[in-house]
Amino acid sequence: MSILGPPDARGPDGPSSGGGEVTPLLSEEFTAQTVTALRHLLAARIAAAGLTGDVAEDLVLAVHELVTNAVLHGGGRGRLELFQQTGQLVCEVTDHGRRHGTDLAVHLPATNTPGGRGLWLAHHLTGALTLTRRHDGITATVTASLITEAGGTPERPDVGPRRPPHPEAP
């Protein structure tokens, strides 16, 4: 398992019972043909849960990167689970790909390497990414807080600027 930021809200057998009540918001299988429709559905469910603005846009983009990664590198299909638990939205993207090796570390590729930045973007957009290797694939989990600051906007993780710097910037 590779954890970048807080651990996910689910255990190996589903939602963690110690983390509070779990409210399912979306559970969808996806393929390359359904990625765009899934992104729109995800954005609508996130907004309906009360997350808006930059934090919502960042979560949608992070999850889109995870879904795309699952399609490209995880067997061409996967499952997205979005749920609310203890003031957070938790999104899990599960694939069924057979990857060789045991390294689940997230590395920023060289500037002259095309692609390969999806996990890095997901981590930097949300401030937390958990990768869990299972016997039949990998689950990537990201979270966003629904708890508001005094000004009424959801708290952002302390990840620096809203958008990550361009990977090719010095």
Side-chain angles (χ1 to χ4, degrees):
M1 180 178 353
S2 174
I3 298 177
L4 304 170
D8 65 359
R10 292 172 61 105
D13 299 318
S16 168
S17 60
E21 183 178 333
V22 174
T23 304
L25 302 174
L26 180 62
S27 180
E28 292 285 324
E29 297 279 338
F30 61 83
T31 64
Q33 292 76 26
T34 62
V35 168
T36 301
L38 181 61
R39 182 178 178 151
H40 293 295
L41 180 58
L42 175 69
R45 296 290 170 90
I46 287 172
L51 191 64
T52 59
D54 291 346
V55 178
E57 290 175 17
D58 288 351
L59 181 60
V60 170
L61 179 55
V63 173
H64 179 78
E65 290 293 330
L66 297 175
V67 166
T68 301
N69 198 55
V71 168
L72 294 175
H73 307 290
R77 63 184 178 86
R79 179 173 251 331
L80 182 147
E81 301 280 344
L82 176 69
F83 55 94
Q84 185 174 338
Q85 183 177 26
T86 317
Q88 287 192 328
L89 288 181
V90 179
C91 191
E92 295 182 341
V93 175
T94 302
D95 69 41
H96 304 286
R98 300 283 185 206
R99 291 181 184 84
H100 299 287
T102 59
D103 184 17
L104 289 182
V106 177
H107 303 287
L108 184 60
T111 57
N112 61 348
T113 303
R117 291 164 179 80
L119 294 177
W120 182 85
L121 281 168
H123 170 63
H124 285 279
L125 288 167
T126 63
L129 170 64
T130 303
L131 300 173
T132 306
R133 183 178 302 280
R134 301 173 340 278
H135 71 282
D136 63 341
I138 292 177
T139 298
T141 305
V142 291
T143 61
S145 177
L146 288 169
I147 299 172
T148 59
E149 299 171 343
T153 58
E155 295 178 5
R156 289 189 50 81
D158 186 20
V159 294
R162 178 185 170 316
R163 297 281 180 215
H166 191 278
E168 296 178 8

